[in-house]
Amino acid sequence: MKLCSIVLFCAILSICHGYRILCLFPFNGKSHFIMFEQLMKALARKGHQVDAVSPFPLKKPYPNYRDALTVPVSRQFMNNMTFAEVNEMINSSPAYAVGSILSDEVCRYLGNEQMQQFLKNARKNPTYDVVIMEIFGAHCFAAVGHVLNVPIIGVSSSALYPWAYEYIANPENLAFAPNILLSYMENMNFFQRLYNFLHHKYNVHVFRQASSIQTEMIRKYVSPDLPDIRELEKKLAMILVNSHSSWNGIRPSTPALIEVGGLHVQEEGVELPPSLEKWMNESKDGFIYFSFGSMVKIESFPAKYLKIFYSSLGKIAPVRVLMKIAKSEELPPGLPKNVHTLSWIPQVKVLKHPNIKAFITHGGLMGTQEAIHYGVPMIGIPLFADQFINIDVGTVKNITIGLNLDTLTEERMDEALNAVLNDPKYRNAAKKLSERFLDRPLNASETAVYWVEYIAKHGADALRSPAVDLAWWQRELLDVYAFLLVALLISLYALTVVVRFVFQLVNANDSAAHKKKVS
């Protein structure tokens, strides 16, 4: 019996093949990493060995998942971004900020002594099967996959930014699909389509210019023989994208773009404090959840906004409000009695609770997808980046009531609260969208794992579009149009010459005949 067990165990080991996966997520953005962590854990649960390089080490050991290196950070953003810093981000170019300000320091980590030693060891023992990295701004880490000569998979925690389409030659769809830096909807008019085109191309240009220094960095820190950063970006085997057609609309894509929207919505390891669970259970008239994400400090907002929040939230009692406040002692006095504050809140558990009525949010994609997952209507107050379009899309789909800080008044806040609490159309629309969002042949986590295994098994070119090797003017068939235009002009010219010749010949014959007749 013991021998049979050993044989069976050995047979299972021979059948199961776990890949070694190196995950490079060095950017100090917790909201981004929430998705990446769930992807790595899903791969680890499937039996693959995951080695992570990130600023966010595991708090508890996880089977098959280890922190190979912990990236040092110069600034802690968790619960630490002020209203003034939000305004600074609003006033800067997103493409420049992502390509330079948010990437230069990350790329310099390649020169870190520990990272250098790690790369040296990895070269000596090239046992990784695939490298997974973030597609955002610091694409310099694609150099690691190139040096190790393994497939490189990208992961985007948002829908694709304008500069990322070309990496896998994904169609840009500018005629009907606005880029995520604009608050346009589908069915744009002519001037919106024109601006969408110009805005898209401008941001691609700005990002390329801002991030071009990464070529110098990778050649300095990794290898002097590396290709240009633009060429490295096109080495991507595929991109896992945090989007879904039910929310982001219908867009053509290559097989190398895999939608895994909502992958991060997991309850595993999320603990609900007993005191919070008791508070939610006792909220018999329901409660509203109010959070501006993992970084922004609501308590740093100007007093005029906090006064509006205090006044409007106090009016909806006995409905309660659960508010994420990093440092409640920094709030001005006068917080309504129906408002309960906590510095950190297990969001998925809160949004899943049956007593929740609505979610007041800044429109970050992660929180928006969590609300969609659980069918919770929202009041959206966007601050920067793709939050504006997320809230606009939610408004069109009747799951969100959009407000704007520039025009926010107590009356508008009151109207939004009354509508989301009392008009059933918002909750009904949220429930229907949730059904569409979750109705898939495989869930987001299973989809991501399947395609990572597919690339590891079949190689970097398995999903690669031939269009990646074409120049932009070839992809747009401009050379074909130019040839046809030249051919048409030559044909018209030849036809003109022939007609003129025939006309002259006919005239000459008529003239000769006339002279003969006269004579």
Side-chain angles (χ1 to χ4, degrees), residues 490-502:
I490 291 173
S491 300
L492 289 174
Y493 176 75
L495 181 62
T496 301
V497 171
V498 170
V499 169
R500 184 180 296 171
F501 174 77
V502 171

Side-chain angles (χ1 to χ4, degrees), residues 24 92 96 100 102 105 108-109 120 209 217 241 251 277-278 323 333 358 361 364 384 432 439 441 503 508 514:
L24 303 170
S92 64
Y96 178 78
S100 179
L102 298 178
E105 182 180 352
R108 277 193 286 271
Y109 178 67
K120 193 177 294 184
Q209 291 296 314
M217 291 182 176
V241 185
R251 304 184 180 211
E277 184 173 22
K278 181 175 182 292
M323 200 170 186
T361 173
F384 52 82
K432 288 181 181 178
D439 192 358
F503 184 73
H514 179 70

Side-chain angles (χ1 to χ4, degrees), residues 204-267:
V204 171
H205 172 73
V206 170
F207 177 83
R208 288 168 67 93
Q209 291 296 314
S211 61
S212 60
I213 193 175
Q214 293 181 27
T215 297
E216 179 184 328
M217 291 182 176
I218 58 177
R219 289 173 178 169
K220 177 181 178 181
Y221 298 130
V222 183
S223 170
D225 301 322
L226 283 168
D228 183 273
I229 187 65
R230 302 283 84 94
E231 291 303 312
L232 275 182
E233 289 168 338
K234 294 179 182 179
K235 298 284 186 182
L236 289 173
M238 72 174 184
I239 303 178
L240 301 172
V241 185
N242 191 20
S243 62
H244 189 261
S245 59
S246 65
W247 177 253
N248 300 94
I250 307 300
R251 304 184 180 211
S253 65
T254 70
L257 187 144
I258 310 296
E259 289 197 309
V260 291
L263 182 150
H264 70 286
V265 187
Q266 305 284 340
E267 294 183 54

Side-chain angles (χ1 to χ4, degrees), residues 251-486:
R251 304 184 180 211
S253 65
T254 70
L257 187 144
I258 310 296
E259 289 197 309
V260 291
L263 182 150
H264 70 286
V265 187
Q266 305 284 340
E267 294 183 54
E268 182 196 28
V270 180
E271 297 178 0
L272 190 63
S275 59
L276 176 56
E277 184 173 22
K278 181 175 182 292
W279 184 91
M280 292 190 296
N281 290 340
E282 291 175 351
S283 300
K284 301 303 182 184
D285 294 293
F287 68 91
I288 287 178
Y289 174 48
F290 190 161
S291 172
F292 279 170
S294 61
M295 297 190 296
V296 178
K297 296 173 66 178
I298 296 176
E299 60 270 31
S300 71
F301 277 46
K304 64 177 181 178
Y305 297 124
L306 294 177
K307 183 179 179 182
I308 292 171
F309 296 151
Y310 280 19
S311 180
S312 294
L313 295 175
K315 294 175 188 176
I316 63 172
V319 175
R320 290 170 149 187
V321 179
L322 176 62
M323 200 170 186
K324 182 191 149 299
I325 300 294
K327 296 180 180 179
S328 57
E329 65 272 14
E330 294 181 9
L331 282 172
L335 189 70
K337 292 181 180 180
N338 63 325
V339 178
H340 179 55
T341 66
L342 288 173
S343 60
W344 188 254
I345 295 171
Q347 190 157 285
V348 292
K349 294 283 191 180
V350 171
L351 291 171
K352 184 182 179 182
H353 199 276
N355 287 344
I356 191 167
K357 295 289 187 180
F359 178 24
I360 301 176
T361 173
H362 63 322
L365 183 59
M366 300 297 179
T368 299
Q369 288 177 336
E370 288 165 5
I372 293 170
H373 185 104
Y374 294 111
V376 179
M378 292 170 278
I379 293 175
I381 307 174
L383 301 178
F384 52 82
D386 63 339
Q387 296 164 11
F388 291 90
I389 193 167
N390 289 338
I391 288 169
D392 286 344
V393 170
T395 301
V396 170
K397 295 181 181 295
N398 282 330
I399 68 165
T400 306
I401 299 173
L403 297 174
N404 195 304
L405 279 179
D406 293 336
T407 57
L408 185 65
T409 63
E410 186 177 330
E411 290 73 22
R412 288 178 176 171
M413 191 73 191
D414 289 346
E415 289 172 3
L417 287 166
N418 288 329
V420 80
L421 288 173
N422 300 315
D423 191 337
K425 77 175 183 181
Y426 295 104
R427 180 162 291 274
N428 292 339
K431 292 295 183 186
K432 288 181 181 178
L433 181 59
S434 176
E435 292 173 3
R436 285 186 58 200
F437 186 69
L438 299 176
D439 192 358
R440 316 180 195 188
L442 294 173
N443 66 37
S445 180
E446 293 167 340
T447 301
V449 170
Y450 173 84
W451 287 109
V452 169
E453 292 174 337
Y454 185 92
I455 292 297
K457 181 179 180 181
H458 298 292
D461 293 334
L463 301 176
R464 192 173 190 269
S465 169
V468 173
D469 299 320
L470 299 177
W472 67 269
W473 45 270
Q474 291 175 312
R475 289 199 299 269
E476 300 296 333
L477 290 177
L478 294 185
D479 53 345
V480 174
Y481 294 143
F483 174 81
L484 293 175
L485 179 60
V486 170

Side-chain angles (χ1 to χ4, degrees), residues 24-42:
L24 303 170
F25 299 122
F27 176 64
N28 183 25
K30 182 63 175 178
S31 58
H32 294 214
F33 190 75
I34 289 171
M35 175 191 179
F36 307 149
E37 183 179 23
Q38 293 304 330
L39 170 62
M40 291 188 287
K41 286 182 175 179

Side-chain angles (χ1 to χ4, degrees), residues 155-168:
V155 187
S156 176
S157 61
S158 68
L160 286 188
Y161 281 98
W163 47 86
Y165 285 85
E166 63 181 345
Y167 306 160
I168 54 173

